[in-house]
Amino acid sequence: MEAIGANRNDDLALSIRMSSNLAPEVLFGCVREAEGAGLACCWFAGNPYERPALITVAAASRLVGGLALGAGTVNVLAHHPVMLAEEASTVAGFCPDSFALGLGVGLDKQRATLGLPKRSALQVMRTAVETVRALCAGDELQIGETGTAAVRLALPAQDIPILIGAVGPRFLDLAGRIADGVIFSMGCDHGYLKQAMSIISEGRRDSTTIRPFRHVAYVIYGGRTVDSAAEAGLRRMVAHLAS
């Protein structure tokens, strides 16, 4: 579910979030059903050790004609911003409608397992957003500590909305200041979302971005099922998120 703009009910749009690791035939069938149902967007998660979200979006783009697609989120600590810009710009060119890029920082445990260097996640996110946005727009940037390497993508310029996957107040404030939207963590309750929206609004006051700001909230939904294993799995997920 996502809202676009300044908390107006008429801007509320229903979307769906899918695992990128579904079997291809299941995933493609769900994408077709989402478009047939008139949903606004299909978001794909970038979970650890699963099919990358950007690759999944590129594959799904061949199936749709008017359904927007989004990657939410891609780990900026595991991707060089120039490589990320290349991939995002390529995927955006494949999408027949609109494409949105969600960026996150992943989990501490995952970063430790992969041996990723310990860096300020907040600063890495800021650099990633600014670099990806500029390169995708066709700008030339000076990359590297010495600032002597000029980089420009050999791809058509793309205007790609960039959203930040944010939980804590510092990332919520950063999203309001430099991003085009925010993706809230799954399982957030109404009280948290109300507080988070206030923090984002404060950041927006100092933002130079003038286009609409998107708020994306993942809401768990499940119908009745006769599959006891599936029902037990859903119960464990809800219990984990509520704890």
Side-chain angles (χ1 to χ4, degrees), residues 7 172-179 196-210 213:
N7 305 325
L172 291 168
D173 178 72
L174 183 67
R177 290 175 183 273
I178 70 171
M197 297 282 277
S198 176
I199 296 173
I200 292 169
S201 295
E202 288 292 329
R204 290 282 290 161
R205 291 193 177 97
D206 297 326
S207 173
T208 58
T209 302
I210 59 174
F213 190 89

Side-chain angles (χ1 to χ4, degrees), residues 126-152:
R126 178 186 293 276
T127 300
V129 171
E130 294 173 347
T131 302
V132 171
R133 176 179 286 137
L135 289 177
C136 288
D139 296 343
E140 182 176 278
L141 293 183
Q142 301 295 323
I143 302 295
E145 295 181 0
T146 60
T148 58
V151 173
R152 185 194 299 273

Side-chain angles (χ1 to χ4, degrees), residues 18 36 44 87 98 105 123 145 152 170 173-176 218 222:
M18 297 183 193
F44 292 98
E87 295 172 6
S98 61
V105 296
Q123 183 56 46
E145 295 181 0
R152 185 194 299 273
R170 294 190 303 163
D173 178 72
L174 183 67
Y218 291 154

